[in-house]
Amino acid sequence: MFENQSPVYDHSKSYVSGSRVVPDSQARRRNMVCKKTKATLKIAILVIVSIFTLGSMSWAATYYVSGSNGNDGNPGTLSSPWRTISKANSSLKAGDTVFIRAGNYNEPIRPTNSGSSNSRITYKNYNNDTVTISNIDCGIELNGKHYITIDGIKFTNIDKYANMSDTSYCYLQNLVIGPQRNHDRWEGIYSPNSSYNRIQNCTIYGYGDIIGTTDRGDMVYVGEHPSPGNTHHWLIENNHMYHGGHNVISFAGHHNILRNNYFHNEGWYNGEGNRIFELKNLGTGEGSGYRNLIEGNRFAFNEAAPDAPTNSKAIQHQNRDSIYRKNMFYHLVGPGLHLVTNNEQPGPDVDNNYVYHNNFFNTGLSPAGSEYQSGLTVTGRNNGIDYVYIKNNIFNEINGSPIKILQDVQYVTRAGNWEDTGNPGWTDAVSSRLDVSNRDYPDFTLTSNSPCIDNGTWLTTTSSSGSGIVMKVENAQYFMDGWGIPGVEGDIIQLENQSSTARIVSVDYNTNVLTLDTPLTWTAGQGLALQYGGSAPDQGAFESGLSAPGDNPISLSPPINLRVMN
């Protein structure tokens, strides 16, 4: 009756299992053998796992290139460097870095391999060496590559600046690129079907041409027709970009950020210049261009378009659900910003855009007449534009109307703007002293007696009373949460009559719900803005009264001399 009984081990006598009795010494021997077998099995498993792990690991290495005293047969060390960038291109693997010594190189950066999320491939100048790549067809060729960094190198007299098709997490930083050698290509930096790339702290200039009434060349082109939606989550910040034949820069995608850059496109090619920036759509629906952030930039010094001198503007916007904030538009032919559809059927979707806390100064400098003498123009044309939100901007010394709303535009919210009604109280802004070589002038901060301080309105209001970190608002489209771009944080917000702030960590644009990093308490209909320093938001791009810059635009000189190079 004990056949199914659990085994019992009696240390004083014997091992009992059912009806079988095993001597005590034999039981101990079996137990020891069992333990040894288990230990041996664990060791075997660890050895197998180690073999597979080591076989799949890539060991990061540092290499050196010297065009003056290297040899591609060398091991690539500092004392025995390679001679060519081509050798580095074919040799670098995930995690590797190559330092390039001073000299002129006539070969592109064209890596054979990609890096990985934790092991980038990096090309960098050695110490502060001047490394120049010149007189070739294309300077940077990254098509199909991922996790590549190119840092501190100069590219000049090349036909095409960079090919970045089908790339992700590729970073261009601290570069000087320009001018173009043969003006026979349309896109300088070309990047269809790309995502999570960035251009930071670069000087890029001199691409395209303008001959008679024909212009050619988008110097930096993020996106592609007819599928702009495949290009997304780019970060372009703190660059100096200027002199493009058609545009200095174009976007055609979604969730891209353009911030704290200096752009200009005054006469440079046979005395001709052109438009500065174009935010394209080129389609409809989720595959089109939408939800981009244009923030803290200076757009200045353009020229009349050679093919349409009376219809010029600094920025042509054909995109939806996008934000322009804390930008500075000045000394511009035509409006600083033109939201416009075209006559194509179906045309681009240009609905639901937000223009707030910007400065427009000395714009609308077009020949007399039409919609182009203004600070900001919205033109629906045949396809119409619905829902435009224009708040807390400063317009000063505008040639024409501060804001023009034309041709089939509906549901415009226009509130809290300073529309050329006198001196706004900027610290130092005199049109006769404007200088293209000085990116920090004008000084658009507000003096202590400015009438624009605390004179703005709330961006939106809360929908109901509540407390915690989940807040429902009337319109969440004014805000962003970083959009999942590495290193980009969400907006800092502040409620009406409160000094506490919170950072947005998530925005649900469909339900108008903000998720915050810090709990707040609010009542129904309470005003909400970006962080402000007084009793209400200021008008314009700079908020006074903050102990820290907060979300003000920054003034950072790039690491390269800002001298305008022709």
Side-chain angles (χ1 to χ4, degrees), residues 63-67 76-77 81-85 87-88 98-102 105 107:
Y63 298 102
Y64 299 84
V65 167
S66 174
T77 62
W82 295 328
R83 183 176 183 83
T84 66
I85 294 174
K87 173 64 175 178
V98 61
F99 289 101
I100 306 173
R101 302 299 301 266
Y105 298 83
E107 50 187 333

Side-chain angles (χ1 to χ4, degrees), residues 372-385:
Y372 298 94
Q373 288 188 313
S374 68
L376 166 66
T377 295
V378 184
T379 309
R381 290 184 178 162
N382 292 342
N383 297 291
I385 296 176

Side-chain angles (χ1 to χ4, degrees), residues 186 207 210 215 217-219 241-250 263-266 268 272-280 299-308 311-318 332-333 335-336 338 340 372:
W186 189 266
Y207 193 90
I210 304 168
D215 57 66
D218 285 334
M219 188 169 71
M241 298 184 182
Y242 60 98
H243 296 171
H246 186 64
N247 291 300
V248 172
I249 183 169
S250 295
F263 301 102
H264 53 94
N265 204 14
E266 75 287 356
W268 65 278
E272 299 284 352
N274 209 334
R275 186 170 55 205
I276 295 173
F277 174 47
E278 185 173 13
L279 187 52
K280 302 179 180 181
F299 298 98
F301 302 97
N302 68 330
E303 294 288 342
D307 55 343
N311 299 336
S312 299
K313 74 277 292 187
I315 296 177
Q316 178 167 291
H317 174 95
Q318 296 178 319
L332 296 168
V333 176
H338 189 195
V340 58
Y372 298 94

Side-chain angles (χ1 to χ4, degrees), residues 478-518:
Y478 286 96
F479 308 111
M480 59 88 68
D481 56 17
W483 294 339
I485 299 175
V488 177
E489 295 184 296
D491 293 336
I492 299 175
I493 59 168
Q494 187 172 342
L495 288 158
E496 179 182 5
N497 296 324
Q498 290 190 14
S499 59
S500 299
T501 61
R503 189 176 293 278
I504 296 172
V505 297
S506 177
V507 180
D508 188 327
Y509 293 109
N510 294 319
T511 61
N512 289 313
V513 170
L514 308 178
T515 301
L516 313 176
D517 69 343
T518 302

Side-chain angles (χ1 to χ4, degrees), residues 448-465:
S448 60
N449 59 351
S450 167
C452 295
I453 292 176
D454 299 342
N455 201 37
T457 190
W458 308 104
L459 298 181
T460 188
T461 58
T462 57
S463 297
S464 60
S465 299

Side-chain angles (χ1 to χ4, degrees), residues 222-235:
V222 178
E224 183 189 28
H225 176 77
S227 301
N230 294 334
T231 298
H232 52 89
H233 292 93
W234 274 66
L235 175 62

Side-chain angles (χ1 to χ4, degrees), residues 285-494:
E286 290 300 308
S288 64
Y290 65 99
R291 207 172 304 289
N292 295 284
L293 174 64
I294 316 302
E295 177 179 42
N297 303 285
R298 288 178 179 256
F299 298 98
F301 302 97
N302 68 330
E303 294 288 342
D307 55 343
T310 62
N311 299 336
S312 299
K313 74 277 292 187
I315 296 177
Q316 178 167 291
H317 174 95
Q318 296 178 319
N319 200 268
R320 63 185 175 88
D321 303 325
S322 293
I323 298 171
Y324 288 84
R325 68 186 186 193
K326 300 183 180 297
N327 299 289
M328 293 147 278
F329 305 88
Y330 54 94
H331 198 70
L332 296 168
V333 176
L337 176 60
H338 189 195
L339 279 64
V340 58
T341 61
N342 55 32
N343 295 324
E344 298 174 1
Q345 298 292 341
D349 184 347
V350 193
D351 294 342
N352 198 47
N353 289 290
Y354 296 77
V355 183
Y356 64 92
H357 285 300
N358 300 282
N359 292 337
F360 295 83
F361 175 57
N362 195 224
T363 69
L365 306 178
S366 305
S370 79
E371 64 216 73
Y372 298 94
Q373 288 188 313
S374 68
L376 166 66
T377 295
V378 184
T379 309
R381 290 184 178 162
N382 292 342
N383 297 291
I385 296 176
D386 294 341
Y387 299 104
V388 183
Y389 301 84
I390 307 169
K391 291 187 176 183
N392 298 344
N393 303 284
I394 295 177
F395 297 87
N396 185 238
E397 293 190 21
I398 307 300
N399 183 37
S401 301
I403 301 171
K404 284 188 176 181
I405 309 296
L406 305 170
Q407 300 181 32
D408 195 14
V409 179
Q410 302 183 86
Y411 314 116
V412 176
T413 298
R414 180 173 170 175
N417 299 293
W418 183 270
E419 298 190 22
D420 225 349
T421 51
N423 185 354
W426 286 323
T427 297
D428 189 4
V430 179
S431 57
S432 62
R433 292 171 51 197
L434 294 172
D435 182 355
V436 69
S437 67
N438 185 358
R439 73 175 286 171
D440 292 324
Y441 189 85
D443 181 350
F444 286 116
T445 58
L446 299 175
T447 60
S448 60
N449 59 351
S450 167
C452 295
I453 292 176
D454 299 342
N455 201 37
T457 190
W458 308 104
L459 298 181
T460 188
T461 58
T462 57
S463 297
S464 60
S465 299
S467 63
I469 62 170
V470 178
M471 176 189 294
K472 184 173 176 60
V473 299
E474 289 301 304
N475 191 343
Q477 305 276 342
Y478 286 96
F479 308 111
M480 59 88 68
D481 56 17
W483 294 339
I485 299 175
V488 177
E489 295 184 296
D491 293 336
I492 299 175
I493 59 168
Q494 187 172 342

Side-chain angles (χ1 to χ4, degrees), residues 22-232:
V22 180
D24 182 61
S25 60
Q26 186 177 349
R28 285 197 299 270
R29 285 195 298 272
R30 288 186 178 180
N31 190 37
M32 291 175 64
V33 170
C34 183
K35 288 182 178 180
K36 289 181 178 179
T37 303
K38 288 181 178 179
T40 302
L41 183 60
K42 287 181 179 178
I43 292 172
I45 292 172
L46 288 173
V47 170
I48 293 171
V49 170
S50 297
I51 291 171
F52 279 101
T53 302
L54 291 171
S56 62
M57 286 181 65
S58 58
W59 299 97
T62 300
Y63 298 102
Y64 299 84
V65 167
S66 174
S68 60
N69 63 356
N71 188 306
D72 286 347
N74 287 343
T77 62
L78 181 59
S79 58
S80 298
W82 295 328
R83 183 176 183 83
T84 66
I85 294 174
S86 296
K87 173 64 175 178
N89 288 337
S90 61
S91 301
L92 297 182
K93 297 180 174 58
D96 290 350
T97 296
V98 61
F99 289 101
I100 306 173
R101 302 299 301 266
N104 295 311
Y105 298 83
N106 304 125
E107 50 187 333
I109 291 179
R110 185 195 295 143
T112 299
N113 300 306
S114 290
S116 64
S117 58
N118 296 319
S119 301
R120 303 182 64 82
I121 289 176
T122 300
Y123 294 77
K124 191 177 186 335
N125 64 320
Y126 178 75
N127 288 344
N128 293 318
D129 283 7
T130 299
V131 175
T132 302
I133 293 176
S134 63
N135 298 310
I136 56 175
D137 179 72
C138 183
I140 299 170
E141 299 189 29
L142 299 180
N143 292 349
K145 299 301 183 293
H146 314 277
Y147 298 101
I148 307 291
T149 296
I150 303 173
D151 187 357
I153 298 171
K154 180 179 180 179
F155 299 82
T156 188
N157 292 322
I158 51 181
D159 297 334
K160 192 175 186 69
Y161 291 172
N163 277 318
M164 299 181 69
S165 303
D166 304 296
T167 57
S168 66
Y169 298 98
C170 291
Y171 299 165
L172 309 184
Q173 57 196 46
N174 303 310
L175 308 179
V176 176
I177 308 179
Q180 188 180 20
R181 181 177 61 174
N182 299 309
H183 297 268
D184 58 354
R185 310 291 178 87
W186 189 266
E187 296 92 3
I189 296 177
Y190 187 47
S191 60
N193 304 313
S194 60
S195 59
Y196 295 96
N197 295 323
R198 59 182 59 184
I199 303 175
Q200 294 175 299
N201 305 312
C202 294
T203 296
I204 306 175
Y205 69 101
Y207 193 90
D209 58 15
I210 304 168
I211 300 174
T213 59
T214 301
D215 57 66
R216 174 175 54 182
D218 285 334
M219 188 169 71
V220 178
Y221 192 174
V222 178
E224 183 189 28
H225 176 77
S227 301
N230 294 334
T231 298
H232 52 89

